[in-house]
Amino acid sequence: ILQNSSLFYFNLKDLIIIINNALCQCWEDTFVTNPTVPTNPYNKIPFAKHDLYKIYTKARYDTHITIPILIELWKCEQFCINVFHKKYSRIIRKEGIRKFVWSSPSKNHIMMEDTMEMLEQNKFTKNWKIHRDFPIELLVNHMRPYLYLFYLVNYDTLDVNLEEVYSNVLEEELEKCYRKNSCFGKKK
């Protein structure tokens, strides 16, 4: 990519990751969406539209790279960040939640607190007596799939029917988890 008379070389997969990360930025504690135009990590200059079209075309037609949904949607809006944000904020939030849950370290204090809150709110898992010496990282890693549903219920502005579906699925899955191992986290 040529920017300010300097030539930068990138791996195409790295460019796709850079672009997708910029599009699904969320503030962790509230998951308020904040997509930004992706920038060159070396000089912090935003990629020009013609560069974005070249990257998209190369990834789409010359490789076997799967293009993330947010990049597909942004391309449909001619790489206009404002229109993209207004039209797809729910999808951006959902992707941001997914990214946060699956890529945050298990020692992330928000995830630790939210995991404990989720377990305390459930009528089955609140009966777990998790020992204070039980590794919190292990607990968070084990609870990631449930935490994803918990965040969707609490932070994704779903319609009432979809929120109820996610709530019911979360409740059922936590019940199954509890019944499978009712002694989870106890010291032997």
Side-chain angles (χ1 to χ4, degrees), residues 8-99:
F8 297 91
Y9 292 92
F10 291 95
N11 177 313
L12 193 56
K13 284 184 180 181
D14 292 341
L15 282 171
I16 296 296
I17 290 169
I18 290 166
I19 294 168
N20 198 55
N21 286 343
L23 295 178
C24 72
Q25 286 187 25
C26 288
W27 290 311
E28 289 180 351
D29 55 346
T30 59
F31 295 108
V32 173
T33 58
N34 185 30
T36 58
V37 175
T39 60
N40 181 331
Y42 300 110
N43 61 13
K44 305 298 182 213
I45 295 175
F47 292 122
K49 281 189 181 184
H50 67 271
D51 290 327
L52 293 168
Y53 278 109
K54 283 193 297 188
I55 293 166
Y56 177 85
T57 303
K58 183 80 173 160
R60 170 56 110 200
Y61 300 109
D62 295 346
T63 68
H64 297 290
I65 295 173
T66 302
I67 299 175
I69 186 69
L70 294 182
I71 295 175
E72 290 283 2
L73 295 172
W74 192 36
K75 191 261 182 193
C76 289
E77 300 307 326
Q78 288 83 42
F79 297 113
C80 178
I81 201 74
N82 293 329
V83 173
F84 168 74
H85 188 215
K86 286 178 185 172
K87 276 179 93 171
Y88 303 108
S89 63
R90 289 188 61 210
I91 296 170
I92 298 167
R93 183 179 303 107
K94 193 170 185 177
E95 284 297 304
I97 290 170
R98 185 194 56 72
K99 180 181 168 208

Side-chain angles (χ1 to χ4, degrees), residues 82-180:
N82 293 329
V83 173
F84 168 74
H85 188 215
K86 286 178 185 172
K87 276 179 93 171
Y88 303 108
S89 63
R90 289 188 61 210
I91 296 170
I92 298 167
R93 183 179 303 107
K94 193 170 185 177
E95 284 297 304
I97 290 170
R98 185 194 56 72
K99 180 181 168 208
F100 174 72
V101 168
W102 294 107
S103 65
S104 294
S106 51
K107 289 187 177 189
N108 180 298
H109 74 280
I110 294 170
M111 287 185 65
M112 288 186 215
E113 291 170 7
D114 290 344
T115 297
M116 296 310 293
E117 180 184 335
M118 174 186 68
L119 296 177
E120 289 167 9
Q121 288 179 4
N122 181 269
K123 64 184 175 184
F124 295 98
T125 57
K126 71 179 179 184
N127 295 321
W128 276 340
K129 304 294 183 222
I130 298 173
H131 194 271
R132 68 184 184 317
D133 292 337
F134 189 81
I136 193 74
E137 299 86 22
L138 181 63
L139 178 65
V140 169
N141 282 335
H142 187 71
M143 292 293 138
R144 283 182 196 266
Y146 311 107
L147 201 54
Y148 177 67
L149 289 169
F150 178 76
Y151 285 145
L152 288 179
V153 169
N154 289 292
Y155 294 105
D156 192 18
T157 51
L158 306 166
D159 62 49
V160 177
N161 295 332
L162 197 52
E163 183 178 346
E164 189 176 327
V165 168
Y166 280 136
S167 292
N168 290 338
V169 169
L170 176 61
E171 194 75 21
E172 290 170 10
E173 292 301 314
L174 284 173
E175 179 184 354
K176 283 182 201 173
C177 183
Y178 176 78
R179 293 198 187 284
K180 191 184 253 187

